[in-house]
Amino acid sequence: MNSIDISRRRIVTAAGGLLAASFAHAQGANPAGWPTKPIRLVIPYGTGGATDAIGRLLATKMADVLGQPVVIDNRPGANGAIGTAEVARAPADGYTFGLVSSSHVVNPFVNKDIGYNVRADFAPVTTLTRLSSVLVVHPSVPARNVRELVALVKQNPDKYFYGIAGGLSNGHVMMERFKHEAGLKVTPVVFKGAGPAALELVAGRIQMMIVAPPGVKQFIEAGKLNALASTGSRNPVGFPNLPNMADEGFSQLESYEWLGLITRAGTPRPIVDRVNSVVVSVLRDPAVTKVLNGQSHEVVADSPEAMGQFINRELDRFSVLVKTLDLKD
């Protein structure tokens, strides 16, 4: 069983223990005439991963409050773009929502035929969670911190390899920016997801990667990988003493993995507000927060306006990064 399977099992097990919890305190009545039928939640990734498990936890809780089933529709592929396109094509009637991740703001710059406009085709509902990524290395790499790693790689150009967790992920972009800022030569190796990449890193066939903590936390705790720094201004939950990249002299590398909830642009605002209210209440429930914190996720649970502003800032940021670094999927 790989680390992603373990993460999913922990979330699902904890979620099962929460099914009896009541979210009657979620404020506001359902908008008139809605919902009268099942709601679809599109997850643009396959079953069995941590993102899928979080989506299923949300779906269960939303159904409890809204009084209609919330049906999961897994549509993996193209770094999340296939599933997201499903949301863009859906009617703006409040019966289709989509889970999106950090790749949502990167995909438009590497796939010109993505089939939707991130700024125009969606209504933000809420940013669910965020988490700092971590720079991890195999124990055979004789570097105890980022500065030592930079010196080591400069002394041994083209010797080292880093893992990419499929597509143009946040970890891929940040690793390329790290290389650019530090003047390093490290060869990328693409894998089909964080799980396979982490296993190859543990095996020593690659030497480093920047990745979200759930995929590598168990290996760090077991001493099979060394964490050198985080990419956030605050450490990931569960890594209280880890320095961040700014502490190590790379202040431009602040970045986060994140999950958010969107729907089709034009969806009636009362429906968006109602779903926001329900999901925010779910995320802020102490039992659910504990489950998410256990996977190093920091609950955000913001407003539609705040999520929209965040998306626009990220689009602007990645537009510059993709061009500067000449990144391709």
Side-chain angles (χ1 to χ4, degrees):
M1 181 179 294
N2 65 32
S3 57
I4 299 298
D5 295 329
I6 291 171
S7 294
R8 180 180 182 274
R9 175 170 290 185
R10 287 172 179 166
I11 293 173
V12 171
T13 300
L18 297 170
L19 289 179
S22 171
F23 288 95
H25 62 277
Q27 297 300 308
N30 291 346
W34 178 91
T36 59
K37 61 182 182 180
I39 296 164
R40 180 170 63 147
L41 177 60
V42 178
I43 299 178
Y45 301 99
T47 59
T51 299
D52 177 64
I54 290 172
R56 291 174 186 274
L57 171 58
L58 279 180
T60 298
K61 297 305 179 183
M62 288 171 63
D64 288 346
V65 179
L66 296 174
Q68 287 287 346
V70 178
V71 180
I72 298 295
D73 185 0
N74 292 97
R75 297 293 182 104
N79 208 27
I82 290 176
T84 305
E86 278 292 304
V87 181
R89 289 191 291 264
D93 58 3
Y95 288 96
T96 300
F97 292 82
L99 215 62
V100 291
S101 68
S102 312
S103 63
H104 185 57
V105 295
V106 181
N107 286 337
F109 303 110
V110 294
N111 184 351
K112 302 304 179 185
D113 300 318
I114 200 168
Y116 53 82
N117 184 307
V118 173
R119 295 187 197 267
D121 290 342
F122 306 104
V125 179
T126 185
T127 311
L128 305 171
T129 65
R130 73 173 190 173
L131 63 165
S132 305
S133 294
V134 289
L135 171 60
V136 289
V137 300
H138 188 266
S140 65
V141 177
R144 294 167 297 177
N145 54 55
V146 174
R147 289 181 174 87
E148 289 184 2
L149 180 65
V150 168
L152 180 68
V153 173
K154 285 185 174 181
Q155 291 168 6
N156 300 273
D158 298 318
K159 175 181 178 180
Y160 294 103
F161 296 84
Y162 81 90
I164 297 172
L168 196 62
S169 63
N170 186 66
H172 181 186
V173 176
M174 288 302 103
M175 193 68 197
E176 285 298 315
R177 186 163 196 183
F178 177 41
K179 288 168 56 181
H180 178 79
E181 296 287 336
L184 305 179
K185 290 185 178 181
V186 187
T187 304
V189 181
V190 182
F191 298 92
K192 293 183 177 180
L199 292 175
E200 289 298 289
L201 180 58
V202 169
R205 287 185 280 270
I206 58 175
Q207 288 75 43
M208 66 193 76
M209 65 188 296
I210 292 178
V211 63
V216 292
K217 187 176 181 181
Q218 63 162 340
F219 300 124
I220 295 169
E221 291 172 343
K224 295 180 179 180
L225 294 176
N226 295 331
L228 301 187
S230 77
T231 63
S233 59
R234 291 205 299 259
N235 286 338
V237 179
F239 295 84
N241 300 315
L242 193 64
N244 59 44
M245 294 298 285
D247 296 332
E248 299 292 295
F250 296 94
S251 60
Q252 299 302 312
L253 265 72
E254 182 178 343
S255 185
Y256 302 89
E257 301 279 353
W258 55 270
L259 294 175
L261 187 67
I262 60 171
T263 189
R264 183 72 170 89
T267 298
R269 182 57 191 253
I271 294 177
V272 172
D273 287 342
R274 177 59 175 145
V275 174
N276 174 274
S277 174
V278 170
V279 172
V280 166
S281 293
V282 168
L283 292 171
R284 290 178 178 170
D285 181 89
V288 175
T289 298
K290 183 178 180 179
V291 172
L292 295 172
N293 286 170
Q295 302 303 314
S296 299
H297 286 264
E298 174 189 350
V299 170
V300 178
D302 56 6
S303 67
E305 288 78 13
M307 184 188 181
Q309 292 165 7
F310 170 70
I311 293 283
N312 285 327
R313 289 195 304 271
E314 288 290 278
L315 287 168
D316 292 342
R317 185 168 73 94
F318 277 103
S319 175
V320 173
L321 282 176
V322 169
K323 292 176 183 176
T324 301
L325 302 174
D326 192 27
L327 294 173
K328 296 178 177 62
D329 193 348

